[in-house]
Amino acid sequence: MRQELSNVVNLVYPMQNPVGKHRGIVPSFSEVLRTSFIGEQQSRGWCQKCRRYAPMNSQRAVTGIAPVLVVNANLDKSPAKKHFWIAPNWLPCEIAITVEGGNVACHEGDQLRHFRNYPSTFFYELVGIVANATSGQRDQQKEHLISFIDVPNLGDDTPCSGGWHLFNDFFVSPVSTEVALNFSAPWKTPVILTYQLQGYKNNIDTTWKEHLDTKCLFYNGTMNHVSNPEGAPLDPRSEFPEAGTNVAIDAEFVVLQKETFEVPADGGKSKTIRPIRQALGRVSILRGSGPDEGTPFIDDYVIVHQSIVDYVTQYSGIEPGDLNPNSPRMPVSLKVTYKKLWLLLNLGCIFIGHGLYSDFRQINIHVPDTQVIDTVKLFLKEDYHLKLSLLAQYFLREEIQTGNHDSIEDARSALRLWRKYQEFEAKGTVKQMIDEVYDYRRKQAYDPSRVKKGHPRRGANGGTSSADCGWLAATGRMTPSGRATPDFGSRPATPLARGKGRDTDVGFESPLK
């Protein structure tokens, strides 16, 4: 007898009878799992009694089972067995495993109620699925792995309680239990299943945070010296990020697909046909405290492999060619940038910036409110989100964003505005100062030198001139985040003057022109 420890069960599918009364009957998942646990094999071995080689049968004797059960679907070696998974409700959300005297039995469905109080029976619930996804169309993306995770609701221990989410690279979306457990589609093939002992669902292990690989935060490549030669990477001996470390951040995006919408001929409410799609183009992160406060330590241009239809250079500061792999900006992969953000998030850093809720939503990363200081929210009144340039002009006496935007300049301005806010808090003048800046906004809105017939002045190319950007901010006509950059999934309203066919809203052309 040989002892071994295994953390994975490879499914072994039985041969089906091609003829007879059992022809075409698909065994249950629990039956296949039991066969896989036992692992019965036939081989030839030396018989001491017969003194010759003879056929031998061997099987496992199960003495214990782990709290987490990982099952390999093994369809790469048995692709013809995919029809097992196509059968309706073949994959159970809950199973029970009985271990006694080296023997093992698996149960599912109505059998479970007979073993609820049985001392040698362990109940497991399905918590994760890894599947292989193929495009289903020629010349499309290559096959890749996706995962379905049952994210638990606090206090709800019901198996497959409806908290399933699809994780496809950086895309995360809630899905129904039926979608997660259905493998009838030809593009979806199960690879790995994860069952967890019931009662462990809401236990969260955070010890992994003690073993984070943080080297990418400190090497010299984190700072793009082409765009900012004054930046410097963090010193791991004296600047190691920890819970409460302040960092200022700003992100810029490029457009992969412009929004398409139709406007009724009668000037009614427009309808979005195709939403805007954007990609992360640049991330700049600055020190938020210490002797080098305001000095950048990360300035990543991000490689974008998809076709870019608009660099939005006026708002992003990104020029055509900056995001190509061989660009002198030395762009990095999206995963490298994501890892840096993920590390700073899990180390407990406090992110300071302007319009961060919009940025994080577009980056597709969740940052708790306790780790976000957004100057849009600090200086908020009357639901009007003030632009960063207006706040900097009034409180810092500085003109920013006069040309193309610079993410380092924006992050540094947001950091300085937060410091101003702290000064106002110490003096007890926060409300007074916010009232003053909104009064300033209203005065700017009615400045006759800026306004002509209810419209800001047009620039040479027909767009709004840079001198009137402050007017748009002052009137509150801006994105919900308070940024000048268009928000993800949003677009300016473009009502049409009835019977005239021209734009009537400030700063935006009619789509019918």
Side-chain angles (χ1 to χ4, degrees):
M1 179 180 292
R2 184 178 78 244
Q3 292 186 351
E4 63 178 12
L5 177 65
S6 177
N7 295 318
V8 180
V9 179
N10 297 310
L11 289 186
V12 179
Y13 300 93
M15 298 295 293
Q16 291 184 273
N17 294 328
V19 296
K21 64 179 182 179
H22 298 295
R23 179 180 59 186
I25 296 179
V26 177
S28 66
F29 176 84
S30 58
E31 292 172 336
V32 175
L33 184 61
R34 178 189 176 278
T35 303
S36 307
F37 266 119
I38 295 174
E40 187 172 351
Q41 295 179 345
Q42 291 185 348
S43 60
R44 292 180 61 83
W46 181 258
C47 178
Q48 293 288 353
K49 187 175 182 179
C50 303
R51 306 299 298 173
R52 63 184 177 86
Y53 285 97
M56 299 180 61
N57 290 335
S58 64
Q59 66 180 34
R60 298 189 189 97
V62 179
T63 58
I65 192 166
V68 176
L69 179 64
V70 180
V71 180
N72 177 14
N74 218 17
L75 288 179
D76 56 333
K77 297 181 179 179
S78 306
K81 303 301 181 182
K82 172 72 183 293
H83 70 276
F84 281 45
W85 298 80
I86 296 176
N89 302 318
W90 190 74
L91 180 62
C93 286
E94 185 180 16
I95 60 174
I97 301 176
T98 302
V99 179
E100 277 187 328
N103 298 317
V104 62
C106 302
H107 322 282
E108 63 176 270
D110 294 336
Q111 302 171 350
L112 298 177
R113 58 190 177 90
H114 301 295
F115 295 91
R116 289 293 178 188
N117 299 317
Y118 202 76
S120 300
T121 299
F122 304 90
F123 286 81
Y124 286 80
E125 56 188 331
L126 183 64
V127 295
I129 301 170
V130 177
N132 188 35
T134 55
S135 174
Q137 298 181 9
R138 295 182 180 180
D139 301 327
Q140 294 293 320
Q141 62 182 3
K142 297 180 180 179
E143 61 182 30
H144 62 286
L145 296 179
I146 60 176
S147 58
F148 297 88
I149 308 295
D150 186 13
V151 180
N153 296 318
L154 191 62
D156 186 359
D157 293 326
T158 306
C160 292
S161 55
W164 287 94
H165 286 69
L166 164 65
F167 290 77
N168 185 359
D169 199 21
F170 297 115
F171 175 78
V172 180
S173 175
V175 296
S176 66
T177 303
E178 291 74 19
V179 170
L181 274 59
N182 185 358
F183 294 95
S184 60
W187 60 267
K188 181 181 175 185
T189 303
V191 179
I192 296 291
L193 309 176
T194 303
Y195 281 90
Q196 182 176 261
L197 199 63
Q198 286 187 4
Y200 281 66
K201 195 167 191 177
N202 286 300
N203 292 345
I204 301 177
D205 180 14
T206 58
T207 57
W208 55 270
K209 291 187 178 182
E210 302 171 4
H211 309 285
L212 295 175
D213 180 11
T214 59
K215 292 191 292 291
C216 66
L217 294 177
F218 304 104
Y219 74 95
N220 199 46
T222 61
M223 192 59 237
N224 191 323
H225 294 285
V226 175
S227 59
N228 195 309
E230 298 180 0
L234 294 175
D235 185 344
R237 296 166 297 180
S238 59
E239 296 181 302
F240 194 94
E242 57 186 14
T245 299
N246 297 319
V247 295
I249 182 173
D250 188 66
E252 304 295 351
F253 303 86
V254 293
V255 178
L256 304 180
Q257 172 183 282
K258 290 189 176 182
E259 183 183 36
T260 303
F261 57 94
E262 61 181 9
V263 181
D266 61 358
K269 185 177 180 180
S270 59
K271 177 183 178 182
T272 300
I273 300 175
R274 187 176 62 180
I276 189 173
R277 284 199 306 116
Q278 296 178 298
L280 182 63
R282 183 183 180 187
V283 174
S284 300
I285 306 180
L286 287 60
R287 294 165 174 83
S289 58
D292 294 324
E293 179 176 321
T295 302
F297 64 92
I298 290 177
D299 186 25
D300 282 354
Y301 284 78
V302 183
I303 297 173
V304 177
H305 296 286
Q306 301 98 316
S307 177
I308 299 174
V309 300
D310 191 353
Y311 284 86
V312 207
T313 304
Q314 179 185 357
Y315 303 113
S316 67
I318 300 173
E319 302 280 353
D322 283 349
L323 308 184
N324 294 337
N326 57 351
S327 166
R329 297 289 188 183
M330 298 179 294
V332 299
S333 70
L334 181 62
K335 291 187 177 182
V336 170
T337 300
Y338 260 74
K339 183 176 181 180
K340 296 174 186 177
L341 292 172
W342 182 83
L343 285 170
L344 294 173
L345 168 63
N346 285 284
L347 288 170
C349 292
I350 308 298
F351 294 92
I352 304 163
H354 194 80
L356 290 186
Y357 290 94
S358 171
D359 285 350
F360 289 145
R361 185 175 68 252
Q362 293 181 58
I363 294 173
N364 198 20
I365 185 172
H366 172 70
V367 181
D369 290 346
T370 54
Q371 289 182 243
V372 177
I373 298 176
D374 195 334
T375 50
V376 166
K377 302 294 183 181
L378 294 182
F379 297 96
L380 181 62
K381 177 185 176 183
E382 303 171 358
D383 292 331
Y384 283 105
H385 293 178
L386 299 179
K387 257 178 62 173
L388 180 64
S389 57
L390 181 71
L391 292 172
Q393 182 186 62
Y394 187 77
F395 290 119
L396 306 180
R397 299 294 187 264
E398 289 185 358
E399 296 288 340
I400 65 171
Q401 302 175 349
T402 53
N404 294 340
H405 288 203
D406 181 3
S407 55
I408 291 179
E409 179 186 51
D410 290 354
R412 185 179 289 122
S413 297
L415 176 62
R416 294 182 61 196
L417 284 170
W418 174 58
R419 291 301 186 190
K420 279 289 183 182
Y421 185 86
Q422 288 181 313
E423 293 178 13
F424 301 151
E425 272 191 320
K427 299 176 181 177
T429 59
V430 170
K431 185 179 183 303
Q432 174 188 341
M433 300 308 296
I434 292 178
D435 288 341
E436 287 183 9
V437 71
Y438 272 86
D439 288 340
Y440 175 74
R441 175 191 67 83
R442 277 186 280 269
K443 291 177 181 178
Q444 292 281 6
Y446 295 102
D447 184 349
S449 66
R450 291 175 178 264
V451 184
K452 180 180 180 182
K453 295 184 180 179
H455 287 67
R457 292 193 303 273
R458 298 288 181 183
N461 60 356
T464 306
S465 65
S466 60
D468 292 308
C469 290
W471 189 90
L472 291 174
T475 55
R477 299 181 183 273
M478 62 189 66
T479 62
S481 65
R483 293 169 51 90
T485 310
D487 278 341
F488 177 76
S490 67
R491 59 176 177 80
T494 55
L496 304 180
R498 296 184 183 274
K500 297 183 180 180
R502 62 181 181 82
D503 60 312
T504 58
D505 203 1
V506 177
F508 300 108
E509 296 287 350
S510 165
L512 300 185
K513 282 191 175 181

